[in-house]
Amino acid sequence: MQSQRVLVLFAHPAVQKSRVNRRLFAAAQSVPGVTTLDLYQEYPDFQIDVRSEQARLLEHDVIVFQHPFYWYSSPALLKEWQDLVLEYGFAYGRNGTRLRGKALLNAITTGGSEEAYARTGHNYFTMRELLTPFEQTARLCGMVYLPPFVVHGAIRMTHTAEVERAADDYARVLAGLRDGRVTTETAGSFDRLNADLTALGL
Ligand SMILES: Cc1cc2nc3c(=O)[nH]c(=O)nc-3n(C[C@H](O)[C@H](O)[C@H](O)COP(=O)(O)O)c2cc1C
């Protein structure tokens, strides 16, 4: 499998207070061949450079939205990024074919536990159900939506070892995406990419 150009777009409005995402982002930055961009650092005033973001997308094959789960979705700047960058005529609609064939996935930390994201839990819906707006956005753009990388219970991760383990898993998944080992064929049936790295051959 040919090497895939992976782009991690990171969105956290209070990165100085983050424990888990900050560590995950550092892990992403350490993976050779993976491009990383901290959106809140790049656009603190929300003035997104649409053309340069679109050009960046064209240079990559796999797009990762890395963010904490905020109100069952992403922080505001990543929504703004989608609203502006995924333009009609570029990402969808008439002649809007530029993202076709690329892959999209979310890399998320949640406050809630894995058990909470189920009919029997207090968030009722599963992560995959809650992420359907991202999945359908990918579909509309002709992109392949891959299962998310999810770190549950991030606010209770008091042990550094747990955070380090999550960061290590993230780096391995990103390297697998880069090397074409994590694809819809190998990982499409998983609820989340980091449920069982061995099963993914990582
Ligand atoms: C505004 C806001 C909304 C949040 N919404 C959710 C949510 O919908 N579901 C959830 O599980 N956690 C939610 N949380 C908890 C965050 O996801 C959690 O604090 C974060 O993933 C921890 O990662 P960090 O250490 O990188 O900040 C929310 C937190 C904030 C501040």
Side-chain angles (χ1 to χ4, degrees):
M1 183 63 169
Q2 213 183 324
S3 178
Q4 302 290 294
R5 300 163 301 173
V6 179
L7 171 63
V8 176
L9 295 173
F10 173 47
H12 195 307
V15 77
Q16 67 287 353
K17 289 192 204 151
S18 159
R19 286 187 318 108
V20 183
N21 271 282
R22 188 162 46 171
R23 184 66 194 88
L24 294 182
F25 191 58
Q29 288 174 308
S30 75
V31 181
V34 170
T35 310
T36 54
L37 182 72
D38 180 339
L39 287 173
Y40 276 91
Q41 188 177 68
E42 190 80 6
Y43 302 116
D45 53 5
F46 275 52
Q47 298 301 305
I48 293 170
D49 182 339
V50 173
R51 295 291 160 259
S52 106
E53 290 306 313
Q54 289 177 341
R56 204 192 315 271
L57 285 179
L58 296 179
E59 288 163 8
H60 293 88
D61 308 300
V62 179
I63 315 301
V64 182
F65 288 165
Q66 186 198 321
H67 58 93
F69 218 26
Y70 274 11
W71 286 111
Y72 307 106
S73 186
S74 68
L77 182 55
L78 185 55
K79 180 61 167 62
E80 179 78 349
W81 183 98
Q82 293 168 71
D83 294 351
L84 298 181
V85 177
L86 303 180
E87 258 180 343
Y88 178 89
F90 172 79
Y92 73 101
R94 200 169 129 80
N95 300 323
T97 58
R98 307 299 298 278
L99 301 180
R100 269 196 197 160
K102 297 183 188 295
L104 178 73
L105 67 139
N106 298 76
I108 300 178
T109 62
T110 71
S113 66
E114 185 154 27
E115 299 71 46
Y117 285 93
R119 288 291 178 274
T120 47
H122 74 264
N123 289 313
Y124 186 76
F125 294 104
T126 66
M127 287 300 291
R128 284 306 293 264
E129 287 169 338
L130 292 165
L131 291 171
T132 49
F134 289 99
E135 182 167 358
Q136 178 52 21
T137 297
R139 288 167 59 90
L140 189 72
C141 298
M143 301 172 84
V144 172
Y145 186 76
L146 292 171
F149 178 95
V150 187
V151 179
H152 283 294
I155 39 184
R156 281 185 301 279
M157 277 195 173
T158 44
H159 295 296
T160 314
E162 277 181 284
V163 180
E164 289 306 311
R165 166 85 196 273
D168 186 51
D169 287 353
Y170 189 42
R172 283 163 67 190
V173 166
L174 289 173
L177 288 162
R178 176 200 63 200
D179 298 340
R181 284 180 287 137
V182 178
T183 63
T184 193
E185 287 78 26
T186 60
S189 61
F190 286 64
D191 284 340
R192 57 183 174 95
L193 292 179
N194 49 327
D196 184 354
L197 295 196
T198 314
L200 262 180
L202 296 177

